[in-house]
Amino acid sequence: MIPVQGVAGKKVAVLGLGRSGLAAARALQAGGAEVLLWDDGEAARAKAEAEGFTLTDLIRRGGVESCAMLVTSPGIPHLYPAPHPVIARALELGIPVDNDIGLFFRSYATEDWDDFGQAPKVVCITGSNGKSTTTALIHHILEVSGRPCQMGGNIGRGVLDLDPARDNEVVVLELSSYQTELARALTPDVAVFTNLSPDHIDRHNGMGGYFAAKRRLFAEGGPDRAVVGVDEAEGRYLAGQLAEGPGDDRVIRISSGQRLEGFAWTVFARKGFLSEWRHGKQAASVDLRGVAALPGAHNHQNACAAWAVCRTLGLAPKQIEAAFQSFAGLPHRSQVVGERAGVRFVNDSKATNVDSAAQALRAYPAIRWIAGGQGKEGGIAALAPDMGSVVKAYLIGASAAEFAGQLGDVPFEICGDMATAVARAAEEAQAGEVVLLSPAAASFDQYANFEKRGEDFTARVKALLGQG
């Protein structure tokens, strides 16, 4: 745990008692604060009480008036589409509103660092897609290279549940727009922007607000080094805003699909090969085509980001390349579950929207595609340009009929449930094909979350392969 600094003897309210909220409450108590806790959900309140916390209804008038600070969980709206009543009241009174990320950055450095040979560093990854894979890949590379490291934020442990810093340690954090938007302190040593595509639009009142939330990590965080994906206009704009010019190597531009020339430091992937260039000279080249856990152009961009970060941290190309090969990937993100008679089974249940599904469809040459669930506005019509590799679609969930009407000439079968879809796809698949679960839809019509959906797929495949 990282005790929060600067709160001793102060009364601090905590709104939202999920993973980050409870961790914040513990860390605030450890820092000497008097903590007032509340959650609108009965189950969350019961969990907090089971830990010994006393609850205070912050919604009632007088709930936050005496507090020096309000700490809120990232999922609770603080501005758009409308602020939570407790947050609105705090803002009316001028009470500072923060989140666990802000508390982490104000508390991570301590006097103990004076005795370290090398100061710890914090690497933060944000963007629309690829954050989790990039974060996990960086952590994996550091771990197998023998560098002390921890991983947290939007993946793994909550930031205030991390252990106190060690000599020469690197903390790798995945940060969502919800987390970067509100944090009052943001001071990463290295910051990564992967890409941008429409998401959380209501929460940020449009794409401009969404991008602005991501941009705070750089504009207000002031990292020593920024790794920026430049395949979208927003990334190019951000890189231009941060750099003094093309010769500024504090900004490392990365890309998947285009050669980057004329800049001081770039890392890009083309046709399956990663290249690092510094001041007009190639510093390294790696063949990514055989890295099973990083298939497709989107994962090659993740590899470029991880490569750039690890190079800034002093790792050698051979160390990074070797770690790529041992990376197992993340569950539910292009996860290879098994193989039989030349047919691979891939769990990409995390693809809950068309942008994520498009990346998976582009990654394989011949696909038996399991799709469907609780479809989002527009269905899968936008995936038409990416369906050329689909041999046949096997549709499940509430959106099955809608998706069937948007497949064009692609053969399909309405299977309804996962058991039928897996069985039919496996029965018809030929050597060299991939049975891919990439739903392009939410899971809530049939599952509690995308993880449960992916676990169901994995269990049925393993049973089919005799591994259950």
Side-chain angles (χ1 to χ4, degrees), residues 143-336:
E143 196 170 44
V144 300
S145 300
R147 186 78 172 262
C149 57
Q150 297 185 75
M151 179 176 68
N154 215 33
I155 183 176
R157 298 160 71 184
V159 290
L160 294 172
D161 264 339
L162 296 173
D163 298 325
R166 295 172 288 173
D167 194 344
N168 199 33
E169 182 176 59
V170 180
V171 168
V172 189
L173 302 179
E174 177 193 340
L175 299 183
S176 71
S177 58
Y178 293 1
Q179 293 168 311
T180 58
E181 184 177 44
L182 189 62
R184 292 173 64 88
L186 287 168
T187 54
D189 297 285
V190 183
V192 179
F193 177 85
T194 57
N195 49 58
L196 198 77
S197 61
D199 207 359
H200 309 305
I201 301 303
D202 289 346
R203 175 66 182 266
H204 298 294
N205 201 35
M207 278 292 287
Y210 179 47
F211 177 50
K214 302 284 189 186
R215 184 176 177 272
R216 285 195 75 236
L217 182 64
F218 302 84
E220 299 186 34
D224 296 330
R225 278 254 161 70
V227 176
V228 182
V230 295
D231 289 334
E232 292 88 27
E234 292 86 356
R236 293 189 289 273
Y237 171 81
L238 179 61
Q241 287 276 297
L242 297 172
E244 293 297 326
D248 188 349
D249 66 3
R250 294 173 303 168
V251 177
I252 307 174
R253 291 167 171 83
I254 64 169
S255 172
S256 176
Q258 61 175 315
R259 181 186 179 93
L260 300 176
E261 297 181 304
F263 300 103
W265 197 346
T266 62
V267 182
F268 56 88
R270 296 177 71 229
K271 299 180 180 179
F273 287 86
L274 179 152
S275 297
E276 178 189 0
W277 285 73
R278 293 200 198 185
H279 300 287
K281 296 182 179 179
Q282 188 173 41
S285 178
V286 176
D287 186 352
L288 299 173
R289 294 173 298 176
V291 183
L294 297 171
H298 63 302
N299 276 310
H300 293 174
Q301 188 204 42
N302 299 336
C304 289
W307 181 281
V309 168
C310 292
R311 292 288 279 145
T312 70
L313 296 173
L315 273 66
K318 287 187 178 179
Q319 288 178 292
I320 305 171
E321 182 178 5
F324 278 173
Q325 299 298 331
S326 60
F327 181 57
L330 288 174
H332 319 300
R333 296 166 177 86
S334 299
Q335 176 194 14
V336 178

Side-chain angles (χ1 to χ4, degrees), residues 93-117:
L93 297 170
I95 296 170
V97 180
D98 207 346
N99 61 16
D100 62 328
I101 304 302
L103 298 182
F104 167 84
F105 277 110
R106 66 184 272 177
S107 306
Y108 183 54
T110 66
E111 292 179 354
D112 294 341
W113 291 28
D114 294 339
D115 299 324
F116 291 163

Side-chain angles (χ1 to χ4, degrees), residues 315-365:
L315 273 66
K318 287 187 178 179
Q319 288 178 292
I320 305 171
E321 182 178 5
F324 278 173
Q325 299 298 331
S326 60
F327 181 57
L330 288 174
H332 319 300
R333 296 166 177 86
S334 299
Q335 176 194 14
V336 178
V337 174
E339 185 171 339
R340 182 182 72 175
V343 176
R344 269 187 296 167
F345 296 82
V346 176
N347 169 19
D348 194 45
S349 183
K350 180 66 167 61
T352 59
N353 57 50
V354 294
D355 289 316
S356 297
Q359 303 292 350
L361 293 179
R362 295 168 191 160
Y364 307 101

